[in-house]
Amino acid sequence: MRKEVKQAMRICPDAVRRAAERQLADGLCEELRFRIGRAVQASVGGRSVSLEMQTTRAMLDELLERATQQSAYAAQEMLRCGFVTLPGGHRLGVCGTAVLREGEIRTLRGISSMNLRIARELPGIGEACAGWLWTHPASALLFGPPASGKTTLLRDIIRMIAQRQRVCVVDERQELAACLDGVPQFDLGENTDVLSAVPKELGITLLLRSMNPQWIALDEITAAEDVQAIVRASYCGVRFLATAHAASRQELFSRPVYRSLMEQGVFRNLISVSPNHSVRIERGNAG
């Protein structure tokens, strides 16, 4: 079993780890899903594998205790935010019934399922993209379908760019750097500063004022507010590295939020990532 899988599964009950070792062997496990009353499901290379055991309430309780190291405060934060970051950048997400107050989630009760997402680093996969960006210096948008490896590729490009220039990361969902107690769990390079758990629009503005970035990196552009902040920062000479969900160039340009960025000339480099993780680099334009 791969070392990152073993590391992530340290929080799992012993019986789950033994079942995974028997059934998954050296498979590239991406997720483990626990749903009460259902078999534990492993995602391996895009397919689902049922482990030979059912999820119980006791199993979820043990996962929560191990993930939060039996800290009541950490457990409460996890239930409020819906996840906890683990050593190595792995993440345990949780679902249940939300308790709302003034429109905000205060906690989750009646926990029904959990998802252990297994993170990995692939040093060197961004070498060709970083080389392209040195010879074609302009902002780059990485796009592809879910689970195609955009975030993993983005991390490595950040690491390589940061060997020469200053990179700031707006890690709104705490997935790019996955900081734990302020320490990034992924290697994002020597000249990288990370701002975690802040909306992209606010984060971009704050970094411009305080950190003098040459590049700003962020994951998953989704909102018009993100686009406005990116456009404003690009007028200041900052370049961007970002990702977007789109299975094809045609789909990318069919979405107004992305088309707006292209029409305004913000992203002049496009990097497409296919489901089989192959990468294609091209110049961007509005069509």
Side-chain angles (χ1 to χ4, degrees), residues 141-151 153 220 242-249 251-252 255 258 270-275 278:
L141 183 65
L142 289 70
F143 70 94
S148 57
K150 299 184 296 296
T151 300
L153 177 60
E220 297 186 15
T243 65
H245 284 305
S248 65
R249 183 186 178 104
E251 183 178 335
L252 181 73
R255 296 181 177 176
Y258 303 139
L270 292 179
I271 301 173
S272 62
V273 187
S274 68
S278 63

Side-chain angles (χ1 to χ4, degrees), residues 84-214:
V84 64
T85 300
L86 305 170
H90 314 292
R91 170 179 291 205
L92 182 66
V94 59
C95 273
T97 302
V99 177
L100 299 177
R101 187 178 303 163
E102 296 179 354
E104 294 185 357
I105 297 176
R106 297 301 181 179
T107 188
L108 293 173
R109 58 180 174 80
I111 304 306
S112 58
S113 62
M114 291 184 178
N115 180 29
L116 177 59
R117 297 181 61 183
I118 298 168
R120 58 189 176 128
E121 289 185 281
L122 297 174
I125 63 170
E127 184 173 355
C129 296
W132 173 276
L133 294 176
W134 291 129
T135 57
H136 302 77
S139 295
L141 183 65
L142 289 70
F143 70 94
S148 57
K150 299 184 296 296
T151 300
T152 303
L153 177 60
L154 177 58
R155 287 193 197 106
D156 202 53
I157 296 174
I158 292 170
R159 181 181 64 83
M160 292 188 168
I161 294 293
Q163 292 173 0
R164 304 188 194 180
Q165 294 185 320
R166 297 183 303 278
V167 182
C168 286
V169 175
V170 182
D171 199 7
E172 180 176 5
R173 300 182 183 182
Q174 301 183 66
E175 289 187 278
L176 272 174
C179 286
L180 188 62
D181 295 329
V183 179
Q185 298 299 291
F186 298 109
D187 180 8
L188 296 183
E190 293 293 328
N191 294 304
T192 301
D193 301 293
V194 180
L195 182 63
S196 297
V198 62
K200 297 179 186 69
E201 179 187 14
L202 298 178
I204 290 169
T205 301
L206 190 155
L207 290 172
L208 279 175
R209 292 173 177 172
S210 61
M211 300 305 293
N212 189 25
Q214 293 171 288

